[in-house]
Amino acid sequence: MNWRQPGRRDALLYGVAAAVAGGLVASVARLEGARQVGRRSVAQQLPGGPLIVIANHTSYADGILLAIACRDLGRSLRLLATAGVFRAPLLGPVVRRLGFIPVHRGSDAAARSLDAAAEALAAGEAVGLFPEGRITRDPGHWPERSKTGAVRLALRTGAPVVPVALQGAQDVVGRSRNLRRTLRNLALPPEVSVLVGETIDVVALAGADPDEATVRRVADEVMGRLIDLIEELRGLDAAHEYGVPRDPADG
């Protein structure tokens, strides 16, 4: 899978798409300005250079919300998104031009999406992904235990990781009853809060030539830092420090 860096026209398209998406989101939700840990003021900018942005996954709206939040912080994300999005007649060609990266879940091609993500990082881009690999199945919308892809990508490229917590996205678009939800949101838009964590140096955490157990441990630690942010937004403690355990047979 080859990744193509967006050109100047594509950058303009990204700006237009972000403005349109922002307008649509504003009609059904109130997206708070991103706040950064340890700062009272609104965070001004994400770090420059190669960057991996991770977030919790509670809604089909998460990708749009994360992209808008990061755009406001100065970075255009190259999101890893399910391959079905790229097959959509109108949306597919657009997201390809925006530099998004398809993920073929449950297939041998799924690992190749990390190759494309590594190419984007080598070009100095910011790559966004959801380490759980799917929308959480937890009834309380707490994150599930992550997969190790984000950490492997960081170890492979040396790119730092920035965790971004989203709270309230599940009230914008859920897994069912979305017509009723949208009508309600037009009248009473729910609030979506964003909290940006401190940069994580995954290579420093894992050390040189980490084994599989170390990769798993670091993946849990990184996910734990994301969960800390979610706890701060919710004012609640998560029942599982590193994410809700998942049945290995459940993907």
Side-chain angles (χ1 to χ4, degrees), residues 5-21:
Q5 186 171 27
R8 291 184 178 180
R9 290 184 179 180
D10 300 325
L12 178 61
L13 176 63
Y14 201 118
V16 171
V20 171

Side-chain angles (χ1 to χ4, degrees), residues 119-142:
E119 290 180 27
L121 290 167
E125 299 283 358
V127 170
L129 57 87
F130 300 99
E132 296 163 82
R134 68 180 187 184
I135 294 174
T136 179
R137 304 300 198 266
D138 180 61
H141 304 292
W142 287 102

Side-chain angles (χ1 to χ4, degrees), residues 96-216:
R96 286 186 184 279
R97 287 189 60 183
L98 297 183
F100 286 16
I101 299 167
V103 178
H104 300 269
R105 294 175 181 167
S107 73
D108 293 338
R112 293 205 296 271
S113 63
L114 292 183
D115 295 337
E119 290 180 27
L121 290 167
E125 299 283 358
V127 170
L129 57 87
F130 300 99
E132 296 163 82
R134 68 180 187 184
I135 294 174
T136 179
R137 304 300 198 266
D138 180 61
H141 304 292
W142 287 102
E144 296 178 329
R145 193 183 190 197
S146 73
K147 296 187 176 183
T148 59
V151 164
R152 293 181 189 278
L153 183 61
L155 291 171
R156 174 177 174 178
T157 63
V161 172
V162 171
V164 177
L166 302 172
Q167 170 56 28
Q170 68 273 9
D171 296 323
V172 180
V173 179
R175 299 185 66 195
S176 62
R177 300 179 180 177
N178 282 315
L179 177 59
R180 181 186 305 175
R181 191 188 311 268
T182 300
L183 293 174
R184 181 197 65 197
N185 291 348
L186 287 170
L188 296 170
E191 184 176 279
V192 179
S193 301
V194 182
L195 186 59
V196 182
E198 297 178 356
T199 302
I200 304 170
D201 186 343
V202 171
V203 175
L205 289 177
D209 195 23
D211 57 18
E212 288 298 312
T214 300
V215 170
R216 179 68 262 173

Side-chain angles (χ1 to χ4, degrees), residues 209-251:
D209 195 23
D211 57 18
E212 288 298 312
T214 300
V215 170
R216 179 68 262 173
R217 174 184 61 78
V218 173
D220 285 340
E221 182 170 345
V222 169
M223 195 65 182
R225 296 194 193 185
L226 176 57
I227 292 172
D228 288 344
L229 299 176
I230 300 167
E231 289 177 328
E232 183 172 339
L233 284 177
R234 294 189 178 190
L236 298 170
D237 292 332
H240 303 279
E241 183 179 5
Y242 302 124
V244 178
R246 54 199 289 175
D247 185 345
D250 194 27

